[in-house]
């Protein structure tokens, strides 16, 4: 778990307007995860939308890649206090996933589910309206497995643990259900600008 004592480098004042409180700017892309990269077989890869245990729709890799594409450019922020400016991601917006499934969101909450059994909760309101992607490319290239490829949820306005690596599906839940890190003391929402790192922040 990340400790509150983690301290980054001091930054020039001109970066301040883009840095959330307590963050420092990095040119690197640190790799942080709870275990080894999972093995993902692209021949059998599926992205599945569920309501509870009920499947709504599933896409193969070829079907998912054929969906409308959205590109996002901007800054990302990790709970470990690094921020990276001017990143570019491409993928399928949550809105386009819902549209292709022919549904509106059936509940106000969901859990992102990953190939390594990681989960994280995100309110639906933070995914719709072009606010989130299931990203498959970073800086014009397929996302490297170290950074969550072949696909990761991408919710850039929240701390980056909410952008689940190796995502395999989204499961709608009736309540705001805690995921892996939320069960271990992390904040249920994770707004960088409000420093919502831990329960009680």
């Amino acid at each position: 778990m990340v400790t509150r004592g983690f301290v980054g480098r001091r930054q020039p004042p001109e970066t301040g307007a883009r840095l959330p409180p307590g963050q420092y700017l990095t040119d690197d892309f640190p790799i942080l995860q709870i275990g080894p990269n999972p093995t993902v077989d692209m021949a059998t890869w599926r992205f599945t939308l569920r309501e509870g245990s009920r499947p709504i729709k599933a896409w193969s890799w070829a079907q998912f890649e054929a969906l409308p594409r959205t590109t996002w450019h901007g800054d990302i922020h990790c709970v470990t206090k690094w921020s990276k400016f001017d990143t570019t991601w491409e993928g399928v917006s949550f809105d386009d996933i819902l549209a292709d499934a022919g549904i509106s969101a059936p509940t106000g909450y969901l859990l992102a589910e990953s190939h390594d059994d990681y989960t994280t909760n995100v309110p639906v309101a933070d995914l719709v309206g072009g606010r989130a992607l299931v990203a498959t490319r970073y800086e014009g290239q397929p996302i490297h497995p170290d950074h969550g490829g072949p696909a990761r949820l991408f919710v850039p306005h929240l701390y980056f643990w909410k952008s689940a690596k190796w995502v395999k599906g989204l499961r709608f839940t009736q309540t705001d259900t805690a995921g892996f890190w939320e069960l271990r003391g992390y904040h249920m929402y994770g707004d960088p600008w409000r420093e919502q790192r831990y329960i009680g922040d």
Side-chain angles (χ1 to χ4, degrees), residues 20 76 112 124 141 147 160 164 171 174-175 195:
I76 55 176
V124 169
Q141 300 296 321
H147 294 301
F160 219 43
R171 175 163 55 93
Q174 293 296 322
T175 60
E195 288 197 271

Side-chain angles (χ1 to χ4, degrees), residues 31 35 46 48 57 79 89-90 110 119 144 146 149 172 177 193 201:
I31 298 169
R46 294 291 184 274
T48 305
K57 185 166 184 175
V79 71
W89 301 78
E90 180 188 326
L110 58 73
T119 58
H144 192 279
D146 286 345
F172 292 101
T177 304
W193 295 96
D201 286 346

Side-chain angles (χ1 to χ4, degrees), residues 38-103:
T39 299
V40 180
D41 182 355
M42 299 306 295
T44 60
W45 184 94
R46 294 291 184 274
F47 182 84
T48 305
L49 204 60
R50 305 177 188 274
E51 182 180 1
S53 60
R54 179 181 71 87
I56 298 171
K57 185 166 184 175
W59 294 262
S60 69
W61 181 256
Q63 291 167 336
F64 196 80
E65 285 282 88
L67 294 177
R69 312 295 297 179
T70 296
T71 299
W72 182 95
H73 182 82
D75 308 337
I76 55 176
H77 311 288
C78 182
V79 71
T80 59
K81 300 190 177 182
W82 60 261
S83 292
K84 184 172 179 63
F85 287 175
D86 298 317
T87 66
T88 302
W89 301 78
E90 180 188 326
V92 182
S93 73
F94 182 69
D95 305 285
D96 285 329
I97 291 170
L98 291 182
D100 195 70
I103 65 165

Side-chain angles (χ1 to χ4, degrees), residues 186-198:
Y186 276 36
H187 200 277
M188 287 291 284
Y189 185 63
D191 183 345
W193 295 96
R194 298 168 65 186
E195 288 197 271
Q196 291 177 335
R197 292 183 169 90
Y198 306 100

Side-chain angles (χ1 to χ4, degrees), residues 109-113 119-122 169-173 177-179 182:
Y109 304 98
L110 58 73
L111 279 170
E113 301 179 314
T119 58
T120 190
N121 62 306
V122 187
L170 301 173
R171 175 163 55 93
F172 292 101
T173 57
T177 304
E182 295 81 15

